[in-house]
Structures are given as C-alpha cells and as structure tokens.
Amino acid sequence: MVLLNNLGYPRIGPKRELKFAEENYWKGKITRDELFKKAADLRKLYLQTQEKYLIDLIPSSFSFYDTMLDMSLMVGAVPERYKPMTNISNNTEIDLYFAMARGYQKDGLDITAMAMSKWFDTNYHYIVPELNADQTFQLLSRKIIDEFNEGKQVLQNKTPKPVLIGPVTYLFLGKEKEKGFHRVDLISKLLPVYVEVLSALERDGAEWVQLDEPCLCLDITEKERAALETAYKTFAQQCPKLKIMLTTYFGALDDNLAIAARLPIAALHIDLVRSPNQLDDVLDVIPSNVILSLGVVDGRNIWKNDYKKSLDLIERAVAKLGKGRVMVAPSCSLLHSPHDLDFETDLQAEIKNWMAFSKQKLNELKELRDILEGNSNLLDANQAAIESRRLSKLIHKPEVKQRVAAITDKDAQRNSPYAERRKLQRAKFNFPLFPSTTIGSFPQTAEVRSWRAQFKKGSITKERYEELLEQETIRGIRIQESIGLDVLVHGEFERNDMVEYFGEQMEGFVFTLNGWVQSYGSRCVKPPIIFGDVSRPFDMTVRWSSFAQSVTNRPVKGMLTGPVTILQWSFVRDDQPRSETAFQIALGIRDEVVALEKAGITAIQIDEPAIREGLPLRKRDWDHYLNWAVKAFRVSSSGVRDDTHIATHMCYSEFNDIFEHIAAMDADLLLIETSKTQMKLLGVFAQFKYPNEIGPGLYDIHSPRVPTKEEMVALLEKAVQLLPYQNIWVNPDCGLKTRGWEETEPSLRNMVEAAREMRKRC
Ligand code: GLN
Ligand code: ZN
C-alpha cells in the first residue's frame, strides 16, 4: 500500500480556540499553564484526527504564532534588543517568543516587534529572521523535540513526524540587518544547531523528519544550491538513521530539480496541484532509493479533490516506482485551508457537496488509497460530485461567459489619453494645488460595529440601522468640510470588510460561518468563496455614495474594491484560470463605476492593494500575470467619461520592478503608501517621468500618533523635488478605519495645513 503523508495541520483550532486563549493570555486573563493546557488539547485533537483518517506520517510540530519564528527561537537567532527581557524574573521562553512576534511594552521596556512578511504567495505572514554579519546560533528552544515526544505518547501505534523549516529556506527568507555579508553564507554556522536537533530526534526514536525547502520553487542561485548540498550531506552523515523528507511546494522544481535529485534524502515531496506537469520530469531523475510524496490534494483551496485526476498522477508514479516508493499527500501544509466543513450548516447543500476543508482533505487521502486498493464505489461518488459541479446551473451563466469573451481592447481603455482627460478634469473640478483627500474609510468605532452586530442579530430594523449609518456619514462629511479637505469620502461605515462587502452583493460568491484561516499570529481571515460565474445583479454602493453626495457641495468619491484584490483575497475557482474570474469581477465593478457616474458621482476610487501580492513566484511568469491583472483593472475603470476622475490606491508596494505595469493602469490619480520610506518609492515615478497625478501617503495610519504639519511639509518638499508639484495630492497612507476620531481629526487638520503651506511655497 502507498503511505499517506500529511505536511501540516491548521493549529488555530476548529473554533479558533488557540486565538482566544492567546489573546486572553496577552491580556493577563488566563495563566501560562492554562494557555499551555489549551494548546496541548489542540495538539492532541490534531494528532488523533489524523490518526483516525489513517494518515501514516503525522506531523507533530505545532506553533503558537509562526513556524519561522519557532525556528528563530530554536536556533537562538534572538535579536539583541530582546536581551533585557532575560532579566525579568517570571518571564519564560513563551514570553520572549511572543515579544519577538508582537513587541514588548512592559516592565519599563519598550521593544519593537520583528517584521512580518507574506509567506510566498499566500495570505499567511511569517516573522522575518533578523541576521547579522557576526551572527551566532545555538540551540535555544527544544520545542520541536518536546512536541515529538509528546506526540509519541498521544499516537497509538505510529511515530509522529517532526517538521522543521529547512536551513536554506530559513536563511533565504531572513533579512540582513547590516551590509557586507550574504545571509545564506551563515549556513555553516547554522548547521550544527540543526544537527543537534536532528540528533536528539534520532535518539528519541524519530523515524521521519520533514524539512521544508519551498525555496526550491523560487528563482534561486548557485549560492543557495550549494548551501542545500552542504546541508543535506551533513544531515545524512551526522544522522544516518534518520529519514529526511525534503518538501517543496507552491510551484515546480524546474531548474532546481537536478539539485533536489542529487541530495542524500529519503523522500522528496512535490506539489502536483500547482504543477502537475513536473511529475514526469521528476520520475525521470529521482534516484532509486528515494520515495516520492505526491501532493495531489490542494492545501490552498476548499474544493473537493477530483480523484480521477489524482489517481492518474498516482498511478503513473506507482507504475514507475512501485507502491512502496510512493506517498500520497496534500500539496502543502493544510494550514492554508479552514478546519472542518461539518461546521458549515448554512451552506446550500449542492455547493457544500463540492467542498473539502482540512479534515475532509485527510479523508480524501484515505479514500484515494482505498480506491487504489480496489474500492471503486468511492470513485463513483466522488466523480458524481465533480460532475455535478462541472455542469451546475448555479455556476455556469452563459451570459457572463459571453460578456467576458467579448471584451475588446477598447473596453480596457479610457476614451482619451491622460493628457486630454486631465484638461477636462481640471476645468471641471478646479482643484487648488496640492488637493487633499483621504483613502476611504473613517473610524469603525465600537458603536458603528455594534450597530452592524445588532442589525445582523435582528435587534434593530434595517431602517434604524441605515438611519444610524446616515447620521454617522453626515457627521463624517461635516468633519471633512470643517477640516477643508477637497475631495471627500463617505467613510465606508456600512462595510464590514472591503472584499466581503462586494462579495455579498455579487452572484457567484458564498460565505462560510467558520472558514477561518490563519493570517498571522492570532489573526485569522474568513475569505469569501467564489464558486461560480460572477455577476452584479444590482447597484452595490450607489445608495451610500449618493447619500453622502446629497449632503455636501464638495465632490464625494465613489469607493470600490478592484477585481484583482477581490480575487486575491477570496478562495477562487479551480475550474477556470484566475484571469477569467478576474475579468468577470471586473465587468461587475465596471457596471458599478458606470452606475455611480450616472448617479452624479464625479470622482471614483478603485482600490487595488493586492496587485503586488498576486505576483507569481517565478519572475518569468510576472508579465503574463501583470498583463491580465492590469487589464482587469482597466476594464473596471474605463467605462466612464473623460472628465470622471478615476483614482486607485495601493498600500505599501515596491514599484521599482513592476513600474511600467503600474503606470499602465492609467489611473488619473494613484494614491500610495510612502510615509515610512520617506518618499523613496517616488524615485521610480520621477525616473520615468510619470505624467498622471500621484498622492504619496504623508502619515502612517497604523499608529495613533498625530503627525505634525511640519513633518508632512518636509515630506511634501521631498516629493516636489522628485515630481512636478502640479501632479501631487495630499493624503494619508491608507484608510482610517482602525483609528479613533480623537487622532483622526487633528491628523487630517495638520495634513490640510501642510497642503496650504505648500500652496504658498509653490
Ligand atoms: N478604501 C479602503 C479603506 O480606506 C482601502 C483599504 C486598503 O487599502 N486596504 O479602508
Ligand atoms: Zn491601503
């Protein structure tokens, strides 16, 4: 029989138990022992669930926050600034760990957190290792070893499999905190600690150890390849009894296949969901003593596995290698899928029948093996579900498909080039120099959120809810008028979330009750699920934008989320290319843009904060992605007259390497986050003489601190060094929904004062 191999399981808890326990621990509401007890219960549940589904290789490693941070603590890569924490008597390892993740402001200390970054192309964030030229490593945390030993006690008759981030990926994803060295060169100092851990595991009876090296699916250089060779040779020599499983995911090995095949390992895991085509290449070169783990069940999405497709891959591998050398697995850790579909009591039965969450994916692994062993009924039932999805009227709307097929280049283009639009817009709006605006949302106070909660519970009527929102909107408009902003916003008080709000109003989306996925630490997101052809049956935002416009003489911007961001922050269909879904959404947003214009809205902002994070992992795929992503944005924004002012917004983004695509979005105004980098991001706009208007963010909205007029003038002075002053707008970095009014009002007042000062100077 083939073995079933799981790479990782969601750890936040079926009902987010770990999140609540941690947050209570941080607030001092529960003790450390209570937190540990909760975590141990969850670990036990995970191990037993996997055992129940007959998984052979069950991962024992758990994380309180993030696995990269676990590694940093394991190898003692604790930045200098946390040293004072060791003097605080009742602090233990977990407190240091949480301090590294979240910062520490207690006991007279004020230590900043380590930075976070997106884990490959997922929405999960890892804590970035901080590395110095004279970095040393020593075994600090024995958590991985302890969890393995704990797992041995829990499992009836299996040995759990510890999981570590491999040493090369660990270093590769780290950051040099000073110049003059390359982080991957630290490998020789790092390896002894890994060897110490692996030896301890070997001694304690581990059979398999999983080492994740997803950097093998990226564009890496000879330096990383050499480091991989050194590392895995060392492990094979030092821990000869241990079976090392090298796992890769999120892409194909491609040009790194040769090196992966050369390493002295016992098993190699490949992602066949992202890259089914790599199977034959891998089968050609895999050495005869290496087992191949086939990632056939999608760890990144919520759809039922198509057993026929998976079996085709598995059978090809079995034919070549024999059952003894094949394992069946999810494509990557199940961390990126929600826990359990059984909790979804509100989903339409037909749609629910197309889905599988983590627990169901374990069952899929088991069923795939059962089918291989001859149980064909399971295959029939699965194929019935797959067929029902393929043909469902709920999914397929011919009129939507036809409309996407009929999109022309003209649909993706404004009527006139920017220079002409600019003349018309300037005549119409007659803005002062340095026009001021905000990014859209205003404080979502506890009160605003409580209205929505009451409305959802049914304890206030729709009329009452809308009346309260109208009052809040008017209040926001009056505040903006009194501050003297030039283009106002309605404040987005009616929105829970910038994607969910639109998903709820479009067809082709469903929402879950409990489909939580860890985003970072205790934070989870509940992405909408795009299951079918997307259309927009009715106006989505016109009511609130028109209302806001009706109470003021100043222009109020219509406020929309762009197609790429809606796509990126949802679980998407796997039965058509992402681009197809993006264009369907784009047409819905386009209709909304046109409806806003018709309703008398003269300026419209379409946010695309997720454009950059959608970039493929390999550079050679970037252009293809950016071409359709930018086109989707342009389809959504080009249905209007020349004198309608179109803005877009992106949070912190490095534009240097994708500049021509950002420019090709051709928004009349581009609002970006720049305050933290002191306007450095504007350099590339200057270099290419970007002609359109640009609003460089003047203050960080993540902090309650009120910025001074002077510091914002100083930033604007930098901006006018780089760009024509006639093109510059004045605005914060991002929306203000997480802020309070106490700081929002004075901050915006200072910001408008800064604009006035600049008008005098230019
Ligand atoms: N308009 C949104 C807001 O102001 C934009 C949020 C974002 O960029 N993430 O909240
Ligand atoms: Zn933003």
Side-chain angles (χ1 to χ4, degrees), residues 700-713:
D700 178 14
I701 52 85
H702 296 101
S703 145
R705 183 177 166 274
V706 175
T708 63
K709 167 186 162 188
E710 290 70 29
E711 72 191 56
M712 290 187 274
V713 169

Side-chain angles (χ1 to χ4, degrees), residues 649 651 733-735:
H649 160 70
C651 313
D733 270 345
C734 190

Side-chain angles (χ1 to χ4, degrees), residues 47 58-60 147-148 151-152 155 158-162 206-208:
L47 292 169
I58 299 178
S60 59
E147 284 165 356
F148 167 71
K152 278 197 307 195
L155 293 180
K158 277 180 189 133
T159 309
K161 173 186 63 170
E207 187 191 352
W208 284 98

Side-chain angles (χ1 to χ4, degrees), residues 439-441 492 498 559 569 605 607 609 649-651 734-737:
I439 304 302
S441 58
E492 303 181 26
M498 65 187 288
M559 196 58 63
W569 291 352
Q605 178 177 318
D607 294 326
H649 160 70
M650 281 164 244
C651 313
C734 190
L736 298 160
K737 66 169 168 257

